[in-house]
Amino acid sequence: MTASVEARDRITAPVLDMDPYSVENITSPYAFQTALRDIGPVAFIPKHGVYAVGRHAECTEVFKDHERFSAKAGIGIQDIRKPGDFRVPNRMLENDPPSSTAIRGVVTKYLSPIVIRRWKEHFEKLATPFAEEIVARGSIDGVEDLAEAWILKVFPQAVGIDMPREQILAIGEMRFNQSGPPNELYRKAMERAKPHIEWFEHSVTREAAKPGSIAESLFEAEERGEFPEPGLASNMVRSLIGGGSDSTIAALGHTLHYLARDPAQWDLLREDANGRAKLAFEEAIRMEPAFMVTYRTTTGPVELSGVSLDGDTKIGIFMGAGNRDPRKFEDPDRYDLMRNSTGVHVGFGQGAHTCIGQMIARIEAEAILKALSKLVSRIELDGEARYRPINQMRMLDILPLRFTSA
Ligand code: HEM
């Protein structure tokens, strides 16, 4: 067979002429998600020159095969190995096994079940008075007053780094716009974050880490020579702050949004909060993953589900599309506390980089959901919810809520 016949016989990815980064698609991604799943197992998006997957099977396959799909060029749309990108790479996530797993092994030690249990007990103690104060107000903004206020109360204690709201939100918006294309959202977020960059750089130093915290344990591990390379403790603290604050705020906001729109689900939670708070949170992450997309890069010309892909090209894993794939989930657009898709949905990733902080996110969210479920008989929308447009994130901006006390 000649080379030209081979080239002609290659099945190439169908073209999807949509922009997942338009403000319209960021704030309401469902039409894009459906189109991506329907067009085939993998598509090419010419607007950004990237491949994209939105079916559950291919999302999982790309996550799990670093031989064909590497994270080394970064998990954003831009290639961080090329000049011009000034983001500090995440040396665990933007890396492949075995190098990434060696780093991950050290971090995992300091997020052990004993550490998690300690913080779980502490968060549960804090949750009741926090919830009482919120419920007493009657009407609140579920984003600023609840999701942000709660996560920014508990998460900084566990990590051991102060995270003032204005600073951490500006830095988060910068990071999660920066992982998208250099559009207007990106430019505005960079401007807003500029005055806070010095604060952020200080917050990932040894001096900023509080005694008894996860950050302190990582710096101590570095001093004992546990990490395979120097400078990793600070890089890991950076990735815990970056990976764990906005994502959990977003996920808790989505959980409250679904529960407020469906009183039957709120009742299910109240009937068995100890068993179902976890499912309420997990189901919101399935339906609205905080991270809209993450990228890998083809390591050479590769095949995926019978489609030939060019080498050295980014491929976006659209987690929201995968998590609503009817090939995998029955009635996928239904928020249902009786469903348990933990470990199956892709909202925490899959494979070598699956979210290392997911237990922390869960104990934070479960503590507050359990406390609220004891105090509130009904939770309702008290106005229109709005989304905050961020390139990589699915996050609410405003969520007006009204509580009826139990
Ligand atoms: C609901 C909240 C969260 C969501 C939805 C979430 C989602 C994710 C996803 C999708 C990935 C995989 C990214 C990829 O493979 O490209 C990931 C990895 C990661 N997450 Fe989370 N995350 C959450 C909370 C947290 C928290 C609380 C922390 C810190 C305590 C954290 C730290 C990390 C880190 C460090 C990684 C990289 C792991 C590695 O490279 O091995 N995340 N997360």
Side-chain angles (χ1 to χ4, degrees), residues 6-66:
E6 273 173 19
R8 201 188 56 211
D9 287 349
R10 280 175 76 213
I11 297 176
T12 54
V15 167
L16 182 58
D17 206 3
M18 289 176 88
D19 182 6
Y21 295 100
S22 70
V23 171
E24 196 191 356
N25 282 330
I26 290 176
T27 49
S28 181
Y30 312 116
F32 171 79
Q33 291 174 355
T34 305
L36 176 59
R37 278 193 309 265
D38 288 354
I39 202 166
V42 51
F44 183 72
I45 302 183
K47 164 103 185 154
H48 299 291
V50 297
Y51 294 113
V53 288
R55 294 183 185 174
H56 183 272
E58 282 74 22
C59 289
T60 308
E61 189 168 342
V62 176
F63 265 130
K64 288 191 170 171
D65 187 353
H66 64 272

Side-chain angles (χ1 to χ4, degrees), residues 19-336:
D19 182 6
Y21 295 100
S22 70
V23 171
E24 196 191 356
N25 282 330
I26 290 176
T27 49
S28 181
Y30 312 116
F32 171 79
Q33 291 174 355
T34 305
L36 176 59
R37 278 193 309 265
D38 288 354
I39 202 166
V42 51
F44 183 72
I45 302 183
K47 164 103 185 154
H48 299 291
V50 297
Y51 294 113
V53 288
R55 294 183 185 174
H56 183 272
E58 282 74 22
C59 289
T60 308
E61 189 168 342
V62 176
F63 265 130
K64 288 191 170 171
D65 187 353
H66 64 272
E67 303 280 347
R68 280 181 296 162
F69 307 105
S70 165
K72 280 189 175 159
I75 54 122
I77 197 167
Q78 300 189 50
D79 189 331
I80 58 168
R81 298 165 305 181
K82 298 191 174 144
D85 195 292
F86 52 88
R87 187 163 57 85
V88 176
N90 180 328
R91 286 161 66 186
M92 174 167 64
L93 178 55
E94 294 174 309
N95 191 356
D96 293 329
S99 166
S100 65
T101 32
I103 301 169
R104 191 175 162 112
V106 180
V107 181
T108 308
K109 260 171 64 182
Y110 302 99
L111 293 171
S112 69
I114 296 168
V115 175
I116 301 292
R117 199 172 321 125
R118 179 182 141 216
W119 289 110
K120 180 176 190 286
E121 283 162 13
H122 181 61
F123 296 165
E124 283 177 351
K125 277 196 201 111
L126 298 178
T128 303
F130 180 92
E132 280 168 353
E133 198 271 316
I134 288 281
V135 174
R137 287 197 236 167
S139 291
I140 58 145
D141 174 8
V143 175
E144 181 170 350
D145 302 329
L146 211 172
E148 286 176 5
W150 172 248
I151 299 304
L152 294 181
K153 184 181 178 73
V154 290
F155 184 58
Q157 294 186 28
V159 178
I161 303 291
D162 283 333
M163 298 185 201
R165 177 175 180 271
E166 193 193 344
Q167 273 95 331
I168 200 72
L169 294 185
I171 293 293
E173 259 190 64
M174 176 186 80
R175 290 168 65 100
F176 295 115
N177 276 306
Q178 222 176 8
S179 42
N183 55 13
E184 198 48 28
L185 291 173
Y186 173 106
R187 279 185 284 276
K188 279 194 185 143
M190 296 304 290
E191 276 307 304
R192 191 181 152 205
K194 259 188 202 158
H196 307 302
I197 287 178
E198 205 176 310
W199 164 81
F200 186 56
E201 291 307 323
H202 174 71
S203 72
V204 297
T205 59
R206 176 76 174 91
E207 299 77 67
K210 299 242 161 56
S213 66
I214 295 167
E216 188 190 55
S217 319
L218 294 173
F219 283 109
E220 284 172 354
E222 179 148 276
E223 281 151 21
R224 287 192 296 271
E226 289 181 29
F227 279 112
E229 301 157 34
L232 278 168
S234 167
N235 193 268
M236 289 303 101
V237 172
R238 182 186 293 271
S239 82
L240 293 184
I241 300 176
S245 42
D246 309 76
S247 55
T248 318
I249 292 170
L252 182 56
H254 296 310
T255 311
L256 296 165
H257 194 200
Y258 276 102
L259 290 169
R261 283 176 294 175
D262 193 340
Q265 298 296 320
W266 182 254
D267 290 343
L268 280 174
L269 174 65
R270 294 195 73 220
E271 272 168 26
D272 175 17
N274 284 339
R276 293 185 188 145
K278 177 182 177 305
L279 300 175
F281 186 58
E282 206 71 30
E283 185 64 345
I285 294 168
R286 182 185 69 81
M287 293 192 66
E288 310 290 347
F291 298 118
M292 182 181 78
V293 57
T294 186
Y295 285 86
R296 299 294 188 261
T297 303
T298 53
T299 51
V302 296
E303 282 236 339
L304 176 63
S305 300
V307 179
S308 302
L309 307 181
D310 290 338
D312 200 22
T313 309
K314 288 270 177 171
I315 178 163
I317 308 166
F318 284 80
M319 292 165 267
N323 282 349
R324 288 173 181 250
D325 185 353
R327 294 161 194 80
K328 185 69 186 176
F329 300 102
E330 206 182 311
D331 203 359
D333 296 327
R334 186 175 144 67
Y335 178 80
D336 183 0

